[in-house]
Amino acid sequence: MSDPLGYSVYLSTFDAQQPMLERSAGMDAPVFLSLHISEEFGPDYCTRAEAVCHWLAEAGYRIIADVSVKTVAQFGEPDLVRLAKRLRVWALRIDYGFTEDETAALAAQLPIVLNASTTTPEAGARIAAAGELVMAMHNFYPRPETGLDSAFLSESTRALQQAGLKVLAFLPGDLALRGPVHAGLPTLEEHRGQLPSACYADLALRFGMDGIFLGDPELSAVEQGRIRRFQEEGVLSIPAQLEPGREALYGRVFTCRVDSPAKLVRFTESREYSCFGGPAAAGPCEPRPRGSVTLDNDRYGRYAGEIQLLRADFPADPRVNVIGHVPEAAMLLADCIRRGGRFTLVEP
């Protein structure tokens, strides 16, 4: 993906979010900021919103402002274009209260983001024809069990992209989760509680999203770094607990063999013995559950030395040593490894 991870900024938690945002300052990352959250309204709302927007713009962020018909009145501006200039907003995410013609007129003047859940491909195509950049953003879902299912997300995203729109979605955080539910803010229900880096890779690879945003206020520096490495280098960072003596595997960049079956990942580089210095002797004959990292021992003859990451359960085999395990919490990342894709094992 060409765009870095986007962030969601909330006026009520901005002070706590600043350290995270400072780590990505200057990267031209997009941020999503709602200008019509009623519980954030107060006597100094407009002043605070303007200060936050100016800080973000100065830090190198592109602001997507979520607006409704009450936003213009709240800020005392005659129209949204004037408001966008005042706040240094890059794009407007159109919520409710605007006709298709009004939205198309806005699209002719600046980038526009439509609601992917309520915009039909036909309406999206008409609006996209009016402007240089028209996008559609899926919602995030605070309440468990209400997030989108994978079939609908895939179908709706593809239809909107075919209509000429870039499509955006949200992933949950791993630190402070936004209230009042505190259950994460994913677009896809199955991403709730998953590692953000796994959700990012899944949205990019399986669903082909054009832009991905953190829905919650905060993201750990570790997960931020893993996402950035995948975005910049195409390398997935897979947490794995390896047995003592196998630490040489950590940090190496491996390639999934292009002929790997779906149920396991074959490490292209592993049979050169460069990781171990020679063939491995047979170890305990153990079951190989999903998530196992395995090494073919010297009982496999000339095939000895191959390392695999299993994405399904396999029975014990005296020719195969189990040398580590990817925790279930990281298996979505393992499932994202594609044939020919690059990945590295990292300490959990």
Side-chain angles (χ1 to χ4, degrees):
M1 296 182 65
S2 58
D3 278 351
L5 175 70
Y7 299 96
S8 296
V9 172
Y10 302 95
L11 299 184
S12 57
T13 58
F14 178 71
D15 292 343
Q17 291 184 268
Q18 266 190 286
M20 176 192 70
L21 294 167
E22 287 170 349
R23 292 198 293 268
S24 294
M27 294 184 62
D28 196 35
V31 293
F32 174 74
L33 172 67
S34 178
L35 294 178
H36 61 99
I37 299 177
S38 57
E39 58 264 32
E40 293 185 336
F41 289 168
D44 65 341
Y45 174 80
C46 294
T47 301
R48 180 163 173 75
E50 189 166 357
V52 168
C53 286
H54 285 194
W55 185 94
L56 292 168
E58 290 293 331
Y61 286 100
R62 289 173 289 140
I63 303 169
I64 298 176
D66 192 33
V67 297
S68 67
V69 290
K70 64 183 179 182
T71 305
V72 173
Q74 179 75 19
F75 283 86
E77 290 290 347
D79 57 63
L80 285 172
V81 175
R82 289 275 295 274
L83 178 61
K85 290 180 180 179
R86 170 182 162 188
L87 299 182
R88 301 177 68 179
V89 162
W90 170 65
L92 295 174
R93 201 255 191 172
I94 307 301
D95 201 314
Y96 60 86
F98 299 94
T99 67
E100 185 178 314
D101 288 342
E102 289 171 332
T103 303
L106 287 169
Q109 300 179 75
L110 73 171
I112 290 295
V113 183
L114 307 176
N115 188 325
S117 300
T118 58
T119 301
T120 65
E122 295 76 18
R126 289 191 293 269
I127 296 171
E132 291 187 10
L133 178 57
V134 177
M135 300 163 278
M137 176 178 275
H138 288 286
N139 294 326
F140 52 59
Y141 294 89
R143 186 197 185 283
E145 303 165 356
T146 63
L148 301 184
D149 61 69
S150 58
F152 178 78
L153 181 60
S154 180
E155 178 185 346
S156 58
T157 297
R158 190 180 307 112
L160 290 167
Q161 288 172 332
Q162 290 173 348
L165 285 73
K166 293 184 178 295
V167 183
L168 319 173
F170 290 92
L171 53 79
D174 66 335
L175 290 178
L177 303 181
R178 184 162 172 79
V181 182
H182 303 285
L185 296 177
T187 289
L188 188 67
E189 182 59 36
E190 66 188 66
H191 283 171
R192 199 177 301 277
Q194 296 281 353
L195 289 176
S197 56
C199 300
Y200 184 95
D202 196 32
L203 289 171
L205 296 173
R206 182 158 59 121
F207 297 96
M209 290 296 163
D210 300 294
I212 300 169
F213 288 72
L214 173 70
D216 286 294
E218 293 187 63
L219 182 68
S220 66
V222 169
E223 282 295 285
Q224 201 172 12
R226 289 173 180 172
I227 289 172
R228 187 171 298 160
R229 185 171 191 189
F230 174 67
Q231 189 272 326
E232 295 176 351
E233 304 175 28
V235 175
L236 290 169
S237 299
I238 315 293
Q241 187 65 55
L242 299 175
E243 289 189 346
R246 304 301 185 188
E247 293 87 353
L249 286 176
Y250 285 131
R252 293 176 179 265
V253 176
F254 293 102
T255 308
C256 176
R257 278 185 53 154
V258 294
D259 59 350
S260 290
K263 292 183 178 180
L264 57 86
V265 175
R266 303 179 70 186
F267 292 40
T268 299
E269 299 81 2
S270 60
R271 277 168 52 191
E272 301 172 359
Y273 298 135
S274 60
C275 297
F276 303 101
C285 185
E286 301 174 294
R288 295 174 289 161
R290 168 175 159 86
S292 296
V293 180
T294 66
L295 170 68
D296 291 352
N297 62 50
D298 55 12
R299 292 181 180 177
Y300 243 125
R302 67 186 182 92
Y303 298 104
E306 176 164 312
I307 302 171
Q308 299 178 354
L309 169 54
L310 307 185
R311 298 195 278 207
D313 295 336
F314 288 84
D317 187 328
R319 300 166 297 181
V320 181
N321 297 349
V322 177
I323 63 169
H325 197 83
V326 173
E328 184 58 36
M331 279 307 295
L332 177 58
L333 269 170
D335 290 336
C336 287
I337 300 174
R338 291 186 162 187
R339 296 178 180 92
R342 299 194 303 155
F343 61 95
T344 185
L345 302 180
V346 298
E347 296 188 60

